[in-house]
Amino acid sequence: MCGIVGYVGREDAAPFLIEGLRRLEYRGYDSAGIAVSTENGIVVRKSKGRLSALEEKIRGDHMISGNVGIGHTRWATHGEPSDVNAHPQPSASGRFVVVHNGVIDNYLELKNHLIRRGYEFASETDTEVIAHLIERYYNGDMVDALNKLQTRLKGSYSLGVLSADNPGQIAVIRKDSPLILGERGDEKMLASDIPAMLKFTRDFYELGEGEIAILSREGIAFYDSDKEALSKSTFHVDWDMDAAEKGGYEHFMIKEIMEQPRAISDTITPRLDGDKVLFGDFNLTAEDIAGFDKIYITACGSAYHAGIIGKYVIQSLTRKSVDVELASEFRYGDPIISEKTLVIVVSQSGETADSLAALRYAKAKGARVLGVVNVVGSSIAKEADVTLFTNAGPEIAVATTKAYSCQLIIFYLLAVYMAEKIGSVAETERRRLLEEIKALPGKVAKILENKDDVQRFAALHFNARDVFFIGRGMDYGAGLEGSLKLKEISYIHSEAYAAGELKHGTIALIERDSLVVAIAANRRLFDKLISNVMVVKARGACVCGVTWEGNKVIEESCDFALYVPETEDLFAPSLSVITLQLFSYYVASMRGADIDKPRNLAKSVTIE
Ligand code: G6P
């Protein structure tokens, strides 16, 4: 997500910070800032937009001269991109200044707690809460203050903190968000990722979960959460800059596939308080929901595929009628829309021209418009009546993976939220569903641990001419996304079919050794799907079944089986799609395709 850097040494800090941030630009950002400890206290400079805007701002600025500083590139999550929301974030007195990577799940609770005690907030960020809390807890010892801070924070964070009382130091702490440190003589640096420091050193210390470090010219002191001093050894990397930006992975796409447990968890946790779904920003009443005459979901590409799953889940849990429409077609179908219609517009970028046009059309007809968007501050996020953000972080690869997965999560949570409001599912069932949602990041991680199985299967079939994905119900929805992934990055012709529809035409294409991927993760429809598998097998197809662990019966009818952990049927697409993403990735990689930038495709399509 965001990028952090810090420098302590004899040189002017600002150029080091800017150079480090430039090396983190690939992560995506919408604003940047630095803070330097100077003779006149801590000086902060920040700017919305590209790093060049920040550089312009500090050019010839003698106030920002000093040898100790921190810097940040921000990818907005709480509050839109702006100068004031950019990091570093100062405490009330300005004595403490913080840069932060990650998401503080309980920031609202903490913010309200601080407001009740008289604190005023300048920004909309979760990070400002941290700056105020450090000031509140600081009693002359930064390690104590940070240890106290960690008992209050829920969520993920890596922090770099400047304090006016200790101008020669930077304090850092982290949990569930990476942070590395390095030294070169009496110069020290910190960063959220290796590329920022490759010119400085190739030997790094990794800060462990909950650990604290104090960087000064004298050295780096490490502490655990009991304030015990820790000794650490470095790890060495030989990576070039390109490999470093991809975290050592060959492509951004596989890096982003591997990031999914974190992205999903970052999307779930801020929306849950115990067994309650928090959609305070949406704030629907039972009457609102009961009063909806229609719910439409509209989107393009993978976001549309997420919408297909969303339809099943919302309809199933709320018993409200939901239609999914391609955004490029929505307004031409003369949809029946009134002020009692809810239109959900789904978009990773928030800028897709057809999705934006659909949104404007729906608004003009009086509908209530809900955005499900990844990029804060984007057009769809701004123009929707309310937006629920997917906290997937920036996606670099053109073929979406983690943003799609997070869109599914928002639909699951939204369906459970609406169902609770109108009482359409029993309370025990609602709790069970939430437990299943909470377990998804761990289950996705398990599939990723076993990715070699998918790679082996891809190695057998990367030369396929056509691939057919079949499934029923939500498995069909997952198949649509799997098929799109495969064709967009490997250029293999592929189609997804509702398994029952095959016999009405497409089966004419099935011949000896045609590759069929049968998604069979839905227990309710398993037997029916296997009947369809038998039909293609009888025509000589080679079939791979994707099903839940332990369902060995699939091996009787399929030539190959790939397993995903068991889950509730409604959430199974979140797991089967990971296998399909990996399959596409490995096939494309074995074919030597330009995976991150497939031909003819764009990440954000701003033409209709
Ligand atoms: C492009 C991208 C797809 C994406 C679609 C919709 O075609 O290549 O990956 O699904 O646009 O984009 P959005 O940003 O609206 O989700």
Side-chain angles (χ1 to χ4, degrees):
M1 277 204 172
C2 311
I4 286 183
V5 292
Y7 173 83
V8 181
R10 294 181 185 281
E11 305 291 328
D12 215 13
F16 274 86
L17 301 174
I18 298 285
E19 166 69 15
L21 292 178
R22 189 166 310 294
R23 298 291 173 194
L24 297 178
E25 276 190 303
Y26 72 93
R27 295 162 72 101
Y29 68 103
D30 44 53
S31 52
I34 61 171
V36 175
S37 288
T38 76
E39 285 174 352
N40 305 310
I42 302 171
V43 174
V44 180
R45 296 285 184 267
K46 24 192 207 173
S47 183
K48 180 182 163 181
R50 311 305 295 168
L51 260 180
S52 50
L54 177 66
E55 275 185 295
E56 198 49 47
K57 207 172 221 177
I58 61 174
R59 182 162 299 133
D61 179 350
H62 301 298
M63 297 293 291
I64 191 113
S65 115
N67 316 119
V68 179
I70 51 179
H72 192 265
T73 44
R74 175 174 187 254
W75 163 269
T77 56
H78 297 67
E80 64 176 33
S82 67
D83 286 7
V84 69
N85 286 336
H87 298 203
Q89 287 288 328
S91 66
S93 68
R95 273 170 60 218
F96 301 90
V97 169
V98 178
V99 286
H100 167 216
N101 253 14
V103 175
I104 303 303
D105 299 339
N106 60 334
Y107 94 99
L108 257 186
E109 173 198 324
L110 294 170
K111 186 169 181 173
N112 290 333
H113 171 84
L114 288 165
I115 288 172
R116 281 196 298 276
R117 274 152 191 80
Y119 286 81
E120 285 178 15
F121 280 76
S123 78
E124 298 161 272
T125 62
D126 49 346
T127 307
E128 194 180 348
V129 164
I130 298 172
H132 291 316
L133 283 177
I134 292 175
E135 179 154 321
R136 191 169 170 80
Y137 296 149
Y138 183 76
N139 225 339
D141 186 322
M142 186 54 90
V143 176
D144 285 343
L146 291 182
N147 267 330
K148 179 130 192 233
L149 177 75
Q150 30 183 350
T151 63
R152 297 303 308 276
L153 297 183
K154 287 187 194 154
S156 57
Y157 47 86
S158 51
L159 303 176
V161 186
L162 288 186
S163 109
D165 293 19
N166 304 288
Q169 297 181 351
I170 304 173
V172 296
I173 184 168
R174 83 160 192 104
K175 178 182 163 274
D176 290 336
S177 178
L179 198 75
I180 49 163
L181 310 155
E183 53 192 337
R184 187 174 67 181
D186 62 0
E187 291 177 298
K188 320 289 170 217
M189 261 194 99
L190 66 97
S192 45
D193 207 352
I194 288 171
M197 283 165 61
L198 271 188
K199 274 180 119 177
F200 186 82
T201 180
R202 284 179 177 263
D203 296 294
F204 304 97
Y205 296 102
E206 191 174 14
L207 199 62
E209 289 289 293
E211 290 175 358
I212 293 170
I214 305 289
L215 293 82
S216 67
R217 287 227 297 254
E218 290 68 48
I220 306 177
F222 294 97
Y223 301 93
D224 68 10
S225 51
D226 290 326
K227 214 181 162 185
E228 296 279 339
L230 296 170
S231 75
K232 277 191 178 279
S233 41
T234 55
F235 67 94
H236 181 81
V237 300
D238 291 320
W239 299 343
D240 61 17
M241 196 61 79
D242 188 46
E245 286 184 352
K246 292 170 189 146
Y249 291 106
E250 212 178 329
H251 300 98
F252 282 110
M253 182 176 176
I254 186 71
K255 176 173 178 272
E256 287 160 5
I257 289 174
M258 298 302 287
E259 282 170 354
Q260 288 179 108
R262 166 93 266 132
I264 293 174
S265 149
D266 280 348
T267 304
I268 297 172
T269 45
R271 295 286 176 195
L272 284 186
D273 183 12
D275 60 7
K276 288 265 174 263
V277 181
L278 303 176
F279 276 141
D281 30 5
F282 195 23
N283 223 352
L284 283 182
T285 62
E287 292 71 45
D288 288 332
I289 299 169
F292 287 142
D293 56 4
K294 182 89 198 163
I295 300 174
Y296 283 107
I297 300 172
T298 183
C300 299
S302 296
Y304 168 73
H305 292 157
I308 289 174
I309 306 294
K311 169 196 160 94
Y312 282 105
V313 187
I314 295 176
Q315 204 161 268
S316 163
L317 295 184
T318 67
R319 308 311 303 145
K320 300 292 295 181
S321 162
V322 183
D323 271 356
V324 198
E325 302 276 351
L326 288 164
S328 53
E329 288 294 317
F330 186 57
R331 56 203 191 285
Y332 308 126
D334 201 9
I336 299 163
I337 296 178
S338 73
E339 356 19 286
K340 289 189 164 177
T341 310
L342 175 66
V343 176
I344 305 175
V345 183
V346 192
S347 175
Q348 186 285 128
S349 62
E351 299 296 350
T352 303
D354 283 315
S355 305
L356 189 56
L359 176 152
R360 288 176 180 159
Y361 177 88
K363 273 189 101 171
K365 296 262 176 187
R368 192 149 173 182
V369 176
L370 171 66
V372 177
V373 176
N374 197 39
V375 179
V376 177
S378 59
S379 304
I380 293 175
K382 279 188 189 142
E383 293 192 30
D385 294 318
V386 182
T387 297
L388 301 175
F389 290 102
T390 46
N391 284 336
E395 236 183 12
I396 312 287
V398 165
T400 179
T401 51
K402 59 178 183 167
Y404 166 87
S405 284
C406 293
Q407 287 160 357
L408 295 186
I409 297 296
I410 292 287
F411 276 122
Y412 303 159
L413 292 171
L414 182 62
V416 173
Y417 169 83
M418 288 168 76
E420 184 194 4
K421 291 267 173 183
I422 57 174
S424 54
V425 290
E427 192 48 23
T428 47
E429 174 63 357
R430 191 187 69 78
R431 291 212 176 121
R432 186 187 70 79
L433 290 169
L434 282 182
E435 287 309 311
E436 281 296 335
I437 294 172
K438 284 191 221 166
L440 287 172
K443 292 182 180 180
V444 170
K446 199 163 170 217
I447 301 169
L448 296 173
E449 275 164 28
N450 297 326
K451 61 185 187 317
D452 294 358
D453 296 344
V454 187
Q455 190 171 15
R456 268 192 292 279
F457 174 63
L460 297 174
H461 295 287
F462 71 93
N463 273 326
R465 194 189 58 184
D466 312 283
V467 182
F468 300 90
F469 291 78
I470 60 170
R472 282 176 178 259
M474 306 185 76
D475 287 340
Y476 165 52
L480 284 166
E481 177 58 8
S483 170
L484 179 64
K485 282 287 85 83
L486 184 70
K487 72 179 87 160
E488 64 184 340
I489 60 167
S490 74
Y491 315 141
I492 293 176
H493 165 250
S494 96
E495 313 236 8
Y497 271 89
E501 192 59 18
L502 263 188
K503 56 187 173 291
H504 299 294
T506 312
I507 199 156
L509 297 175
I510 303 289
E511 52 189 9
R512 177 147 305 282
D513 295 331
S514 295
L515 181 59
V516 174
V517 177
I519 300 119
N522 200 307
R523 286 171 172 281
R524 204 166 46 93
L525 301 169
F526 182 75
D527 292 344
K528 287 242 181 286
L529 184 74
I530 290 301
S531 311
N532 302 126
V533 167
M534 299 317 286
V535 170
V536 292
K537 283 286 309 164
R539 271 108 191 131
C542 170
V543 183
C544 171
V546 178
T547 192
W548 64 90
E549 250 158 31
N551 185 24
K552 294 281 179 199
V553 49
I554 197 141
E555 291 173 19
E556 291 164 18
S557 40
C558 294
D559 302 277
F560 205 99
L562 291 168
Y563 294 99
V564 297
E566 269 196 277
T567 186
E568 153 66 37
D569 271 0
L570 289 174
F571 310 144
S574 279
L575 304 183
S576 47
V577 84
I578 306 291
T579 299
L580 304 182
Q581 293 168 350
L582 287 168
F583 173 62
S584 305
Y585 173 75
Y586 286 126
V587 165
S589 157
M590 287 165 198
R591 291 166 74 94
D594 187 1
I595 293 181
D596 287 333
K597 291 194 177 71
R599 69 183 180 212
N600 306 340
L601 298 182
K603 183 79 185 153
S604 177
V605 181
T606 50
I607 49 163
E608 285 185 23

